[in-house]
Amino acid sequence: MLGICKDEGREIGRTTPQAKLEGGLYIVATAIGNAGDITLRAIETLNRVDVVACEDTRVTGRFLKRHGIDAAFVAYHEHNAARARPKLLSRLGRGEAVALVSDAGTPLISDPGYRLVGACIEAGIGVTFVPGPSAALAALVLSGLPTDRFYFGGFLPTRQAARVRALKPLAALAASLIFFESPRRLPAALGDLADILGDRPAAVARELTKKFEEVRRASLSQLCAHYRDEGPPKGEVVIVVAPPAKTGAATVTAIEGAELDQRLGAALAEASLRDAVAAVTEATGLPRGKVYQRALALTGKAGAGGGGA
Ligand code: SAM
Protein backbone atom coordinates (compact mmCIF):
# COMPACT_ATOMS: atom_id res chain seq x y z
CA MET A 1 0.00 0.00 0.00
CA LEU A 2 1.22 3.47 -0.92
CA GLY A 3 1.66 5.82 2.04
CA ILE A 4 0.85 5.52 5.69
CA CYS A 5 -0.36 2.22 7.05
CA LYS A 6 -1.82 2.29 10.55
CA ASP A 7 -0.35 -1.14 11.15
CA GLU A 8 3.19 0.18 10.96
CA GLY A 9 2.87 0.17 14.74
CA ARG A 10 3.85 3.76 15.34
CA GLU A 11 2.08 6.91 16.29
CA ILE A 12 -0.06 8.44 13.56
CA GLY A 13 -1.29 12.00 13.20
CA ARG A 14 1.79 13.71 14.59
CA THR A 15 2.24 17.18 13.15
CA THR A 16 5.99 17.40 13.73
CA PRO A 17 8.18 17.08 10.63
CA GLN A 18 8.67 13.49 9.58
CA ALA A 19 10.33 11.58 6.77
CA LYS A 20 8.94 12.23 3.31
CA LEU A 21 6.45 9.71 2.00
CA GLU A 22 7.09 7.28 -0.78
CA GLY A 23 6.48 8.85 -4.22
CA GLY A 24 2.96 8.81 -5.64
CA LEU A 25 -0.33 10.68 -5.72
CA TYR A 26 -2.18 11.02 -2.40
CA ILE A 27 -5.79 12.16 -2.81
CA VAL A 28 -6.64 13.71 0.54
CA ALA A 29 -10.13 14.69 1.70
CA THR A 30 -10.40 17.75 3.94
CA ALA A 31 -13.29 19.32 5.87
CA ILE A 32 -16.53 20.62 4.30
CA GLY A 33 -16.84 23.48 6.76
CA ASN A 34 -15.86 22.40 10.25
CA ALA A 35 -12.06 22.49 10.31
CA GLY A 36 -12.02 19.67 12.86
CA ASP A 37 -13.25 17.21 10.24
CA ILE A 38 -9.92 15.94 9.03
CA THR A 39 -8.41 12.56 9.77
CA LEU A 40 -5.18 11.88 11.57
CA ARG A 41 -3.92 10.11 8.48
CA ALA A 42 -4.75 13.15 6.31
CA ILE A 43 -2.76 15.43 8.63
CA GLU A 44 0.19 13.11 8.62
CA THR A 45 0.06 12.67 4.85
CA LEU A 46 -0.07 16.42 4.22
CA ASN A 47 2.89 16.87 6.57
CA ARG A 48 4.99 14.31 4.74
CA VAL A 49 4.40 14.91 1.01
CA ASP A 50 6.75 16.99 -1.14
CA VAL A 51 4.00 19.25 -2.41
CA VAL A 52 0.26 19.82 -2.01
CA ALA A 53 -1.72 20.47 -5.22
CA CYS A 54 -4.79 22.51 -4.35
CA GLU A 55 -7.51 24.58 -6.00
CA ASP A 56 -6.85 27.81 -4.12
CA THR A 57 -3.56 28.18 -2.28
CA ARG A 58 -5.06 30.76 0.09
CA VAL A 59 -8.00 28.54 1.11
CA THR A 60 -5.83 25.46 1.61
CA GLY A 61 -3.03 27.52 3.18
CA ARG A 62 -5.41 28.81 5.88
CA PHE A 63 -6.78 25.32 6.52
CA LEU A 64 -3.36 23.69 6.82
CA LYS A 65 -2.09 26.49 9.04
CA ARG A 66 -4.90 25.75 11.50
CA HIS A 67 -3.54 22.22 11.74
CA GLY A 68 0.08 23.31 12.03
CA ILE A 69 0.98 21.88 8.64
CA ASP A 70 3.73 23.72 6.81
CA ALA A 71 3.52 22.45 3.23
CA ALA A 72 4.69 23.60 -0.19
CA PHE A 73 1.78 24.37 -2.55
CA VAL A 74 1.08 24.31 -6.22
CA ALA A 75 -2.22 25.38 -7.83
CA TYR A 76 -4.29 22.74 -9.60
CA HIS A 77 -7.75 23.94 -10.59
CA GLU A 78 -10.11 23.68 -13.55
CA HIS A 79 -8.61 26.72 -15.30
CA ASN A 80 -4.96 25.65 -15.16
CA ALA A 81 -5.30 21.84 -15.04
CA ALA A 82 -4.21 21.27 -18.66
CA ARG A 83 -0.96 23.19 -18.02
CA ALA A 84 -0.40 22.08 -14.43
CA ARG A 85 -1.02 18.36 -14.96
CA PRO A 86 2.12 17.60 -17.05
CA LYS A 87 4.23 19.43 -14.45
CA LEU A 88 2.72 17.39 -11.63
CA LEU A 89 3.19 14.21 -13.62
CA SER A 90 6.85 14.97 -14.19
CA ARG A 91 7.35 15.57 -10.45
CA LEU A 92 5.55 12.30 -9.76
CA GLY A 93 7.71 10.63 -12.41
CA ARG A 94 10.81 11.82 -10.50
CA GLY A 95 9.51 9.99 -7.43
CA GLU A 96 7.95 12.88 -5.51
CA ALA A 97 4.97 12.46 -3.19
CA VAL A 98 2.15 14.78 -4.28
CA ALA A 99 -1.06 15.35 -2.27
CA LEU A 100 -4.18 16.50 -4.10
CA VAL A 101 -6.76 18.41 -2.05
CA SER A 102 -9.75 20.54 -3.02
CA ASP A 103 -11.17 23.66 -1.35
CA ALA A 104 -13.51 21.43 0.65
CA GLY A 105 -14.39 17.79 1.06
CA THR A 106 -13.36 15.00 -1.25
CA PRO A 107 -11.29 15.86 -4.34
CA LEU A 108 -12.77 14.71 -7.69
CA ILE A 109 -16.36 14.95 -6.36
CA SER A 110 -17.50 17.95 -8.45
CA ASP A 111 -13.89 19.07 -8.04
CA PRO A 112 -10.72 18.68 -10.13
CA GLY A 113 -8.58 15.55 -10.14
CA TYR A 114 -10.24 12.91 -12.29
CA ARG A 115 -7.89 13.39 -15.25
CA LEU A 116 -4.83 13.54 -13.00
CA VAL A 117 -5.78 10.21 -11.42
CA GLY A 118 -6.34 8.71 -14.89
CA ALA A 119 -2.96 9.99 -16.10
CA CYS A 120 -1.20 8.55 -13.04
CA ILE A 121 -2.84 5.16 -13.52
CA GLU A 122 -1.82 5.18 -17.19
CA ALA A 123 1.75 6.11 -16.31
CA GLY A 124 2.01 3.41 -13.66
CA ILE A 125 2.33 5.96 -10.83
CA GLY A 126 0.94 4.82 -7.45
CA VAL A 127 -2.32 6.45 -6.36
CA THR A 128 -3.99 6.23 -2.97
CA PHE A 129 -6.91 7.90 -1.20
CA VAL A 130 -7.06 9.31 2.31
CA PRO A 131 -10.85 9.44 2.75
CA GLY A 132 -12.91 11.98 4.63
CA PRO A 133 -16.05 14.12 4.36
CA SER A 134 -18.14 14.82 1.28
CA ALA A 135 -21.16 17.11 1.31
CA ALA A 136 -23.08 14.66 -0.88
CA LEU A 137 -22.99 11.84 1.67
CA ALA A 138 -23.41 14.18 4.64
CA ALA A 139 -26.64 15.51 3.08
CA LEU A 140 -27.90 12.03 2.23
CA VAL A 141 -27.44 10.66 5.74
CA LEU A 142 -29.18 13.69 7.29
CA SER A 143 -32.03 13.80 4.76
CA GLY A 144 -34.11 11.06 6.38
CA LEU A 145 -34.61 9.63 2.89
CA PRO A 146 -33.69 6.12 1.73
CA THR A 147 -29.96 5.47 1.66
CA ASP A 148 -29.93 1.95 0.24
CA ARG A 149 -29.58 3.23 -3.32
CA PHE A 150 -28.64 6.73 -4.38
CA TYR A 151 -27.61 8.67 -7.46
CA PHE A 152 -25.27 11.63 -7.25
CA GLY A 153 -26.09 14.14 -10.00
CA GLY A 154 -23.39 16.73 -9.22
CA PHE A 155 -24.40 20.29 -10.13
CA LEU A 156 -27.58 20.61 -12.18
CA PRO A 157 -27.26 22.64 -15.40
CA THR A 158 -27.72 26.34 -14.74
CA ARG A 159 -30.15 27.01 -17.62
CA GLN A 160 -33.71 25.79 -17.23
CA ALA A 161 -34.05 24.01 -20.58
CA ALA A 162 -30.85 22.04 -19.97
CA ARG A 163 -31.88 21.33 -16.37
CA VAL A 164 -35.21 19.90 -17.49
CA ARG A 165 -33.44 17.77 -20.12
CA ALA A 166 -31.01 16.47 -17.49
CA LEU A 167 -33.80 15.60 -15.04
CA LYS A 168 -36.14 13.73 -17.37
CA PRO A 169 -34.08 10.51 -17.56
CA LEU A 170 -33.89 10.45 -13.74
CA ALA A 171 -37.66 10.43 -13.15
CA ALA A 172 -37.96 6.64 -13.08
CA LEU A 173 -34.70 5.93 -11.24
CA ALA A 174 -35.40 3.87 -8.12
CA ALA A 175 -32.90 5.72 -5.94
CA SER A 176 -32.58 8.83 -3.81
CA LEU A 177 -31.15 11.67 -5.90
CA ILE A 178 -28.45 14.05 -4.65
CA PHE A 179 -27.62 17.38 -6.31
CA PHE A 180 -25.27 20.23 -5.51
CA GLU A 181 -26.87 23.61 -6.19
CA SER A 182 -26.08 27.27 -5.75
CA PRO A 183 -28.37 29.00 -3.22
CA ARG A 184 -29.34 31.57 -5.89
CA ARG A 185 -30.76 28.91 -8.22
CA LEU A 186 -32.29 26.80 -5.43
CA PRO A 187 -35.94 27.93 -5.80
CA ALA A 188 -35.91 27.46 -9.59
CA ALA A 189 -34.17 24.09 -9.34
CA LEU A 190 -36.69 22.85 -6.74
CA GLY A 191 -39.54 23.99 -8.98
CA ASP A 192 -38.13 22.03 -11.93
CA LEU A 193 -37.47 18.99 -9.75
CA ALA A 194 -41.12 19.02 -8.61
CA ASP A 195 -42.39 19.44 -12.17
CA ILE A 196 -40.25 16.70 -13.69
CA LEU A 197 -40.02 14.16 -10.87
CA GLY A 198 -43.39 14.76 -9.17
CA ASP A 199 -43.92 16.28 -5.75
CA ARG A 200 -41.71 13.88 -3.80
CA PRO A 201 -40.35 14.12 -0.27
CA ALA A 202 -37.03 15.94 -0.32
CA ALA A 203 -34.48 17.72 1.84
CA VAL A 204 -32.32 20.80 1.48
CA ALA A 205 -29.16 20.46 3.57
CA ARG A 206 -27.45 23.79 4.21
CA GLU A 207 -24.13 24.76 5.78
CA LEU A 208 -23.38 21.20 6.86
CA THR A 209 -20.95 20.84 9.77
CA LYS A 210 -20.97 24.65 10.22
CA LYS A 211 -22.52 26.94 12.81
CA PHE A 212 -25.76 27.46 10.86
CA GLU A 213 -26.24 23.87 9.75
CA GLU A 214 -29.87 23.28 8.79
CA VAL A 215 -31.78 20.46 7.10
CA ARG A 216 -35.23 21.39 5.81
CA ARG A 217 -37.37 18.34 5.02
CA ALA A 218 -40.62 18.68 3.08
CA SER A 219 -42.06 17.95 -0.35
CA LEU A 220 -40.33 19.51 -3.36
CA SER A 221 -43.20 21.93 -3.94
CA GLN A 222 -43.23 22.98 -0.26
CA LEU A 223 -39.48 23.54 -0.32
CA CYS A 224 -39.80 25.49 -3.56
CA ALA A 225 -42.55 27.67 -2.05
CA HIS A 226 -40.48 28.23 1.09
CA TYR A 227 -37.38 29.44 -0.75
CA ARG A 228 -39.46 31.50 -3.22
CA ASP A 229 -41.11 33.25 -0.25
CA GLU A 230 -38.02 33.61 1.93
CA GLY A 231 -35.53 34.18 -0.87
CA PRO A 232 -32.41 32.11 -1.57
CA PRO A 233 -30.69 30.88 1.60
CA LYS A 234 -27.21 31.89 2.66
CA GLY A 235 -24.31 29.45 2.44
CA GLU A 236 -23.90 26.17 0.62
CA VAL A 237 -26.69 23.71 -0.13
CA VAL A 238 -27.30 20.15 -1.25
CA ILE A 239 -30.68 18.87 -2.47
CA VAL A 240 -31.75 15.28 -1.76
CA VAL A 241 -34.90 13.86 -3.38
CA ALA A 242 -36.70 10.63 -2.46
CA PRO A 243 -37.05 7.81 -4.99
CA PRO A 244 -40.37 7.45 -6.83
CA ALA A 245 -43.09 6.45 -4.37
CA LYS A 246 -43.48 2.84 -5.53
CA THR A 247 -39.89 1.89 -4.79
CA GLY A 248 -40.49 0.60 -1.31
CA ALA A 249 -41.31 0.91 2.30
CA ALA A 250 -38.24 2.98 3.10
CA THR A 251 -39.82 6.02 1.46
CA VAL A 252 -42.94 5.48 3.48
CA THR A 253 -40.99 5.32 6.71
CA ALA A 254 -39.19 8.56 5.90
CA ILE A 255 -42.37 10.62 5.76
CA GLU A 256 -44.35 9.15 8.60
CA GLY A 257 -45.15 10.85 11.87
CA ALA A 258 -44.64 14.56 12.25
CA GLU A 259 -43.93 15.06 8.59
CA LEU A 260 -47.16 13.35 7.52
CA ASP A 261 -49.05 15.62 9.93
CA GLN A 262 -47.25 18.64 8.56
CA ARG A 263 -48.13 17.73 4.97
CA LEU A 264 -51.73 16.98 5.85
CA GLY A 265 -52.04 20.20 7.84
CA ALA A 266 -50.82 22.23 4.87
CA ALA A 267 -53.10 20.39 2.43
CA LEU A 268 -56.16 20.63 4.72
CA ALA A 269 -55.66 24.36 5.02
CA GLU A 270 -56.26 24.71 1.30
CA ALA A 271 -58.49 21.83 0.28
CA SER A 272 -61.33 19.59 1.38
CA LEU A 273 -60.52 16.49 3.41
CA ARG A 274 -61.07 14.32 0.33
CA ASP A 275 -58.74 16.41 -1.87
CA ALA A 276 -56.13 16.81 0.86
CA VAL A 277 -55.99 13.03 1.39
CA ALA A 278 -55.73 12.46 -2.36
CA ALA A 279 -52.91 15.01 -2.72
CA VAL A 280 -50.87 13.68 0.22
CA THR A 281 -51.40 10.07 -0.86
CA GLU A 282 -50.16 10.94 -4.34
CA ALA A 283 -47.17 12.93 -3.08
CA THR A 284 -45.98 10.42 -0.48
CA GLY A 285 -46.96 7.02 -1.85
CA LEU A 286 -48.33 6.09 1.58
CA PRO A 287 -51.41 3.83 1.67
CA ARG A 288 -54.52 5.99 1.19
CA GLY A 289 -56.27 4.43 4.19
CA LYS A 290 -53.41 5.41 6.47
CA VAL A 291 -53.40 9.00 5.21
CA TYR A 292 -57.17 9.16 5.52
CA GLN A 293 -57.17 7.91 9.12
CA ARG A 294 -54.52 10.46 10.02
CA ALA A 295 -56.50 13.24 8.33
CA LEU A 296 -59.59 12.27 10.31
CA ALA A 297 -57.59 12.34 13.52
CA LEU A 298 -56.20 15.77 12.70
CA THR A 299 -59.58 17.24 11.87
CA GLY A 300 -61.20 15.66 14.92
CA LYS A 301 -63.54 13.57 12.76
CA ALA A 302 -62.20 10.18 13.75
CA GLY A 303 -65.01 7.84 14.78
CA ALA A 304 -67.62 10.17 13.24
CA GLY A 305 -68.41 7.69 10.46
CA GLY A 306 -66.72 9.70 7.73
CA GLY A 307 -65.76 6.69 5.59
CA GLY A 308 -66.96 8.12 2.28
CA ALA A 309 -63.93 10.32 1.48
N1 SAM B 1 -15.77 18.04 -3.24
C1 SAM B 1 -16.75 18.60 -2.36
C2 SAM B 1 -17.31 17.50 -1.45
O1 SAM B 1 -16.84 16.37 -1.53
O2 SAM B 1 -18.19 17.79 -0.65
C3 SAM B 1 -17.81 19.32 -3.13
C4 SAM B 1 -17.30 20.47 -3.92
S1 SAM B 1 -18.48 21.28 -4.90
C5 SAM B 1 -17.45 22.33 -5.85
C6 SAM B 1 -19.19 22.45 -3.79
C7 SAM B 1 -20.65 22.15 -3.50
O3 SAM B 1 -20.74 21.15 -2.50
C8 SAM B 1 -21.41 23.33 -2.96
O4 SAM B 1 -21.91 24.15 -3.99
C9 SAM B 1 -22.54 22.67 -2.20
O5 SAM B 1 -23.55 22.24 -3.08
C10 SAM B 1 -21.81 21.44 -1.64
N2 SAM B 1 -21.26 21.72 -0.30
C11 SAM B 1 -19.96 21.80 0.04
N3 SAM B 1 -19.83 22.03 1.36
C12 SAM B 1 -21.09 22.08 1.86
C13 SAM B 1 -21.63 22.28 3.17
N4 SAM B 1 -20.84 22.48 4.22
N5 SAM B 1 -22.97 22.26 3.31
C14 SAM B 1 -23.78 22.06 2.27
N6 SAM B 1 -23.32 21.87 1.01
C15 SAM B 1 -22.00 21.87 0.81
Side-chain angles (χ1 to χ4, degrees):
M1 176 200 162
L2 183 65
I4 302 156
C5 176
K6 181 172 158 293
D7 297 336
E8 282 169 21
R10 55 178 173 66
E11 187 184 352
I12 58 167
R14 284 182 299 159
T15 53
T16 48
Q18 295 164 55
K20 290 289 176 205
L21 284 175
E22 171 187 359
L25 180 66
Y26 297 79
I27 301 155
V28 181
T30 56
I32 58 169
N34 186 322
D37 293 334
I38 182 155
T39 68
L40 297 174
R41 191 156 78 95
I43 292 174
E44 183 168 350
T45 300
L46 293 168
N47 258 316
R48 293 178 56 192
V49 291
D50 293 290
V51 67
V52 177
C54 57
E55 289 185 89
D56 185 328
T57 52
R58 286 162 306 178
V59 171
T60 298
R62 272 197 303 273
F63 182 75
L64 297 193
K65 200 167 167 205
R66 279 193 74 161
H67 291 285
I69 300 167
D70 182 21
F73 297 108
V74 54
Y76 187 76
H77 48 72
E78 61 175 323
H79 305 296
N80 81 342
R83 273 177 289 120
R85 198 177 313 116
K87 293 181 192 159
L88 283 177
L89 285 168
S90 84
R91 292 182 79 147
L92 286 158
R94 291 199 298 272
E96 289 193 19
V98 175
L100 175 70
V101 302
S102 56
D103 282 353
T106 299
L108 280 78
I109 304 302
S110 294
D111 272 335
Y114 154 73
R115 287 200 171 79
L116 180 62
V117 170
C120 285
I121 292 168
E122 203 168 304
I125 293 165
V127 182
T128 193
F129 180 38
V130 183
S134 177
L137 286 185
L140 177 68
V141 301
L142 283 180
S143 68
L145 299 172
T147 53
D148 52 342
R149 285 209 271 177
F150 59 88
Y151 170 91
F152 172 59
F155 282 99
L156 284 166
T158 54
R159 297 212 342 268
Q160 190 189 26
R163 193 158 59 222
V164 167
R165 265 200 310 279
L167 288 176
K168 280 188 175 159
L170 304 181
L173 201 64
S176 291
L177 309 175
I178 308 168
F179 302 102
F180 289 161
E181 190 49 281
S182 87
R184 196 165 47 81
R185 283 189 293 274
L186 183 63
L190 289 166
D192 288 343
L193 284 160
D195 288 348
I196 306 299
L197 306 178
D199 195 14
R200 302 184 191 175
V204 173
R206 188 173 77 82
E207 292 291 87
L208 292 167
T209 76
K210 304 186 206 176
K211 185 172 178 190
F212 296 107
E213 177 178 283
E214 172 192 62
V215 183
R216 193 167 283 276
R217 305 174 185 90
S219 74
L220 283 167
S221 67
Q222 288 168 331
L223 289 168
C224 176
H226 172 82
Y227 290 111
R228 283 215 163 110
D229 291 349
E230 300 280 315
K234 290 200 167 66
E236 297 184 286
V237 295
V238 181
I239 305 171
V240 188
V241 184
K246 289 190 193 72
T247 58
T251 308
V252 171
T253 308
I255 46 94
E256 275 178 352
E259 193 173 343
L260 174 57
D261 289 0
Q262 188 196 336
R263 282 163 179 271
L264 273 170
L268 286 163
E270 292 182 5
S272 67
L273 188 133
R274 176 196 293 263
D275 289 346
V277 168
V280 173
T281 302
E282 164 74 19
T284 61
L286 286 167
R288 183 182 171 284
K290 181 183 180 99
V291 177
Y292 178 63
Q293 289 305 326
R294 196 63 210 144
L296 286 182
L298 286 179
T299 53
K301 293 183 182 159

